[in-house]
Amino acid sequence: MEDFDGREQAGRPKMVVLAGPNGSGKSTVTRGLMEDPHFPKDRYVNADDIAKRLEQPIEDAETRRRYAAVIEPNMPELPLVGKIWYMGSRMSEEQIATELGRGVSNVDQRNGFAAILADDARKAELRGGHDFAFETVMSTQGKLAMFDEARGKGYDVDMVFVTTESSLINQQRVLNRVAQGGHAVDPDKIAERYNRAMHMLPAALQMVETASVYDNSFHTPVLIAKKERGEIVFPEVTMPTMEDMQKRPELRKEGPLGAWYVSSMWQSDWAEAREGITGLQNRIRENVQGQQHDFDALHDRYAKADKPMARADIQNGSETAGRVVEVTDRHVLQFDRENNRYVAHDRTLLTPGVIANLQEAQVSGKDVTIAYNYGPDSKLVDQNKTLNKTPELTQASLDQYLFDPSSREEPKPRQM
């Protein structure tokens, strides 16, 4: 595994994101990264670590009060799990503090509290202007929104993304972890989060300064993608060496195809293993390049010297008002009237239900406001509520508004 490299611009603070689906091996990779002198291990936020602390009674009353004050307002309106509520109703700060004082024995409740506290700690670190790191499944748009927020505050965002060839591998690893006393995750949620994280990976790669993507289907991570100086590259797959395998005789691959164990016959299995890793790399490459090609095609069709094109800022509270120009399989292109530019919204970062409304707005020539607002669970609030529409325009008026530099005033509505 390569050394951690988060030194793109000296003097700028770093937000290091350790991302990947449940069971992909993020914690194992993190232990290796913590040995690197450039990794901010003293400011590392991990919900699992917080959950372990909550299992024991919190003796200090002020700490209990402070934690409860963070947890109570950030509990979802509908419970993540029933145990976050108390006797069928929302828990009060006093009830939460009492629970913290005796140690949170229920696993679901403990993990729910820990997730809220971890999110609060991440936000506090971001306000501090220091290097820090955090671990995330990265299965919600709100986690990616922190990338834009951090960059807006002058941070470089460095991501290490750890995944596997199949969510079945992740499910099996979580089961193995539970058998050893670790916390459980519902298998359906593992598969759902795996799919969402992989779906959003191309967008994440566009939003960070540096990135390393690893296939951790084996117990030795294999680098399959890297971003440096703004360029995403896909290096030739390098398998673990014989020396690596001799040091790690337990090296194996878990999943639907069974397990390969290092032995004198490893060569026959290695070819198949390489093929699997290369297949994952190719899937990621195709998605990343597809996103970029779509953006570039839109740029070629619409960007003029006086109208630049940018990717949408998705940090919490961001919004763009203007005409929907085109809806493709990968983007929604909007003319940002206030800033006289085009903005490309990545469809993987929009709620699915909003796309039909945006397509309708494109056809009718209506103005819309696309906003990014997130709930306590970091998921997008229904964007259908943010599509504020204005009167329709004729196609001729819309074309003039978009392409005629002299038409900078608000277009007049069509006469009915």
Side-chain angles (χ1 to χ4, degrees):
M1 183 170 172
E2 294 195 347
D3 292 337
F4 172 73
D5 183 7
R7 295 158 283 172
E8 282 291 296
Q9 299 188 44
R12 290 168 60 92
K14 298 188 295 290
M15 183 176 82
V16 182
V17 184
L18 304 166
N22 299 105
S24 61
K26 294 187 299 297
S27 297
T28 301
V29 171
T30 301
R31 286 194 292 271
L33 291 176
M34 283 185 172
E35 300 301 318
D36 191 289
H38 299 283
F39 186 82
K41 59 184 177 183
D42 294 333
R43 293 182 177 274
Y44 171 53
V45 179
N46 184 353
D48 289 342
D49 293 343
I50 295 173
K52 290 177 183 177
R53 293 200 297 269
L54 296 184
E55 191 172 3
Q56 303 301 319
I58 296 177
E59 304 292 347
D60 182 66
E62 175 58 25
T63 301
R64 294 198 301 269
R65 184 204 64 76
R66 188 174 73 251
Y67 282 5
V70 171
I71 293 169
E72 191 281 328
N74 288 292
M75 289 191 300
E77 291 303 317
L78 294 174
L80 289 169
V81 289
K83 293 296 183 179
I84 292 183
W85 285 30
Y86 180 77
M87 298 299 288
S89 62
R90 189 183 184 91
M91 294 179 74
S92 66
E93 284 190 27
E94 182 179 356
Q95 290 167 332
I96 294 171
T98 299
E99 193 75 9
L100 295 172
R102 59 192 178 207
V104 186
S105 59
N106 181 274
V107 174
D108 291 332
Q109 184 185 60
R110 186 166 65 243
N111 290 339
F113 287 176
I116 294 170
L117 291 172
D119 190 56
D120 184 71
R122 285 189 290 265
K123 293 175 181 176
E125 291 289 356
L126 197 56
R127 292 191 296 269
H130 306 286
D131 292 359
F132 75 100
F134 70 91
E135 186 174 311
T136 176
V137 176
M138 205 183 80
S139 62
T140 60
Q141 297 94 333
K143 292 298 186 293
L144 267 67
M146 286 190 67
F147 295 10
D148 275 346
E149 183 180 355
R151 294 171 70 183
K153 293 181 182 295
Y155 277 80
D156 283 339
V157 182
D158 305 319
M159 181 178 71
V160 177
F161 188 90
V162 185
T163 188
T164 65
E165 296 168 23
S166 167
S167 62
L168 295 175
I169 297 174
N170 301 58
Q171 291 171 340
Q172 183 59 54
R173 286 185 178 168
V174 171
L175 289 175
N176 294 345
R177 183 176 69 196
V178 172
Q180 297 171 5
H183 69 274
V185 182
D186 181 83
D188 290 338
K189 287 186 177 180
I190 293 173
E192 179 186 346
R193 292 169 182 171
Y194 176 96
N195 291 332
R196 287 206 306 262
M198 295 297 289
H199 192 52
M200 291 191 291
L201 177 58
L205 286 169
Q206 296 290 349
M207 297 167 68
V208 301
E209 276 66 46
T210 66
S212 297
V213 179
Y214 290 93
D215 182 342
N216 199 33
S217 301
F218 287 83
H219 287 247
T220 296
V222 177
L223 182 70
I224 58 174
K226 192 172 183 65
K227 183 176 183 181
E228 294 180 311
R229 293 178 289 278
E231 183 181 2
I232 303 172
V233 297
F234 298 88
E236 182 179 354
V237 170
T238 302
M239 301 297 286
T241 65
M242 279 300 296
E243 182 180 0
D244 293 330
M245 292 185 289
Q246 288 168 354
K247 292 178 181 178
R248 300 289 300 277
E250 77 281 12
L251 186 67
R252 65 187 184 277
K253 176 180 175 179
E254 298 165 295
L257 299 180
W260 290 284
Y261 291 91
V262 176
S263 68
S264 59
M265 300 299 294
W266 67 271
Q267 291 92 340
S268 61
D269 297 323
W270 227 236
E272 190 172 358
R274 181 189 292 274
E275 183 179 344
I277 295 174
T278 303
L280 175 63
Q281 183 186 55
N282 287 337
R283 296 205 314 265
I284 294 173
R285 179 194 286 114
E286 290 169 3
N287 286 331
V288 169
Q289 292 178 344
Q291 290 286 86
Q292 188 61 49
H293 290 164
D294 191 62
F295 181 87
D296 291 343
L298 288 171
H299 184 276
D300 291 343
R301 285 200 294 273
Y302 293 98
K304 309 298 179 184
D306 63 328
K307 294 179 182 177
M309 182 180 290
R311 298 182 187 275
D313 183 343
I314 69 163
Q315 65 179 295
N316 195 23
S318 295
E319 60 181 42
T320 306
R323 303 292 186 260
V324 175
V325 180
E326 187 169 344
V327 179
T328 71
D329 289 341
R330 297 179 183 269
H331 292 95
V332 173
L333 187 65
Q334 183 181 27
F335 184 70
D336 179 358
R337 175 168 29 81
E338 180 179 357
N339 297 298
N340 189 34
R341 63 175 184 170
Y342 292 101
V343 172
H345 301 268
D346 192 315
R347 284 184 58 158
T348 63
L349 305 179
L350 297 171
T351 52
V354 80
I355 301 299
N357 285 354
L358 292 172
Q359 290 171 326
E360 186 273 334
Q362 177 195 357
V363 172
S364 63
K366 293 180 179 179
D367 220 19
V368 297
T369 299
I370 301 177
Y372 294 87
N373 298 300
Y374 306 94
D377 57 0
S378 296
K379 293 182 179 179
L380 273 170
V381 176
D382 185 3
Q383 287 185 312
N384 283 306
K385 297 177 182 177
T386 70
L387 296 180
N388 305 314
K389 301 178 181 179
T390 57
E392 298 178 8
L393 301 175
T394 62
Q395 186 61 47
S397 297
L398 180 59
D399 290 343
Q400 182 186 32
Y401 178 65
L402 292 173
F403 299 112
D404 182 358
S406 65
S407 60
R408 290 292 182 257
E409 297 181 359
E410 178 67 20
K412 296 180 181 180
R414 183 174 66 185
Q415 298 297 319
M416 303 301 292

